[in-house]
Amino acid sequence: MAANRLDRRRFLAHAMAGVTTLLLGACDKLSESRWFPRILDSAEAVNKHVQRAITGQQALAREFTEADISPDFKSNGTQEPDDPAYQKLMKGGFKNWRLEVGGLVERPGKFSLAELRVLPSRTQITRHDCVEGWSCIGKWKGAKLSALLDKVGVRPEARYVVFFCADAMDMSGDKYYESIDLATAYHPQTILAYEMNDKTLPVPYGAPLRLRNERQLGYKMPKYIMRIELVQSFADIAGGNGGYWEDQGYEWYAGI
Ligand SMILES: Nc1nc2c(c(=O)[nH]1)N[C@H]1C(S)=C(S)[C@@H](COP(=O)(O)O)O[C@H]1N2
Ligand SMILES: [Mo]
């Protein structure tokens, strides 16, 4: 299957053209998101390589103004987990909710919302792009994931951050989960959001805590986070592909 050098160069050139289209596309109206299928078609490794080569590993996703905020942000996927433990926490205003952080860390721990709120935070107005072809702009405030990771101490073997959620996606009872690499985890706009549009994060959008990972598609931003685990490989977790949607065939790297 190894492509020869020329083929590989042509392939890269093609992929670069795709990225140029998408960079221009960022200035388009929300309805003009024709570039989605192109991204999903391109090979994951090349997509990731090219995006990082062109925009830089830590380049920021575009940010918007208050006037751009969508009046009716769409809630997608789960809108309220029916898991009994989640329901109980929700009815108690999430006072008893704790974020568990474990795996390849020096100091595993459990964090209340109050504890997360005192970590260094970031507020950002960004565009959420769903693979289904819709986009909404919202304002998010949350703890920087980098700050939480520094607090627990990431062990050198760790390569991915895995998020386990409260909601089951289908009759199988399989819970939503998702993973990102450490470069994404340390990106300045990668936050654990507890506020949306200046209010406590509402349940349809992932209360009490959801990830904002602004340079990837919506499915890479887990809602209803209960536990975070640092791992070396996600091969043994659930379906082995790094996330609920990846187990159904979506790309693991969903850069936009
Ligand atoms: N736990 C959980 N996280 C999730 C989902 C979900 O169903 N459950 N849906 C994903 C998808 S496909 C999208 S587009 C966004 C939707 O976020 P929103 O409801 O704030 O629009 O959340 C993502 N994270
Ligand atoms: Mo989505």
Side-chain angles (χ1 to χ4, degrees):
M1 281 292 283
N4 69 35
R5 218 175 237 173
L6 190 62
D7 281 345
R8 202 163 160 260
R9 204 172 297 149
R10 282 210 192 100
F11 187 38
L12 269 173
H14 178 77
M16 304 269 275
V19 170
T20 308
T21 307
L22 95 86
L23 290 176
L24 294 172
C27 307
D28 284 348
K29 287 206 297 288
L30 297 188
S31 56
E32 293 170 11
S33 1
R34 272 166 289 126
W35 38 271
F36 280 120
R38 291 187 78 146
I39 295 161
L40 295 172
D41 284 350
S42 58
E44 175 184 317
V46 172
N47 179 23
K48 176 173 166 176
H49 171 83
V50 171
Q51 185 194 51
R52 291 197 172 149
I54 291 181
T55 61
Q57 192 127 314
Q58 299 294 319
L60 296 186
R62 181 177 172 191
E63 295 194 12
F64 296 78
T65 69
E66 301 268 345
D68 300 315
I69 294 173
S70 304
D72 295 299
F73 200 102
K74 185 175 159 75
S75 166
N76 203 35
T78 303
Q79 315 215 326
E80 184 185 314
D82 53 17
D83 175 68
Y86 179 89
Q87 283 285 321
K88 200 168 162 201
L89 291 167
M90 184 184 81
K91 283 170 187 145
F94 298 109
K95 286 204 171 53
N96 294 328
W97 173 91
R98 295 290 181 274
L99 175 68
E100 264 188 72
V101 186
L104 298 173
V105 298
E106 305 291 351
R107 297 170 292 279
K110 291 186 179 184
F111 299 87
S112 67
L113 281 167
E115 289 168 316
L116 294 174
R117 278 180 173 273
V118 299
L119 290 177
S121 70
R122 193 174 197 279
T123 301
Q124 56 208 29
I125 301 175
T126 52
R127 195 179 74 189
H128 178 107
D129 297 321
C130 174
V131 68
E132 293 162 6
W134 55 269
S135 302
C136 288
I137 291 173
K139 181 177 181 180
W140 307 95
K141 180 180 181 189
K144 291 173 136 197
L145 180 54
S146 60
L148 180 66
L149 294 180
D150 288 346
K151 202 171 168 67
V152 295
V154 174
R155 300 226 313 243
E157 322 85 85
R159 290 186 57 205
Y160 302 99
V161 185
V162 190
F163 303 85
F164 296 93
C165 308
D167 54 322
M169 295 305 289
D170 48 44
M171 303 301 284
S172 71
D174 290 345
K175 294 271 169 81
Y176 201 97
Y177 77 105
E178 193 45 80
S179 60
I180 58 175
D181 61 21
L182 285 182
T184 301
Y186 281 99
H187 186 279
Q189 287 168 317
T190 299
I191 60 173
L192 293 166
Y194 43 69
E195 274 182 28
M196 177 192 193
N197 297 341
D198 298 314
K199 292 198 205 83
T200 301
L201 182 66
V203 169
Y205 305 99
L209 197 73
R210 69 98 48 88
L211 186 72
R212 292 301 308 171
N213 162 17
E214 307 293 358
R215 294 184 55 210
Q216 296 194 53
L217 292 173
Y219 69 90
K220 297 296 293 192
M221 300 190 229
K223 310 195 280 188
Y224 317 113
I225 302 172
M226 303 300 287
R227 185 162 60 90
I228 293 179
E229 207 178 308
L230 277 285
V231 300
Q232 193 165 21
S233 156
F234 46 70
D236 298 326
I237 298 167
N241 299 294
Y244 172 79
W245 285 111
E246 289 85 338
D247 288 337
Q248 327 296 315
Y250 280 41
E251 298 289 347
W252 177 79
Y253 189 78
I256 52 173

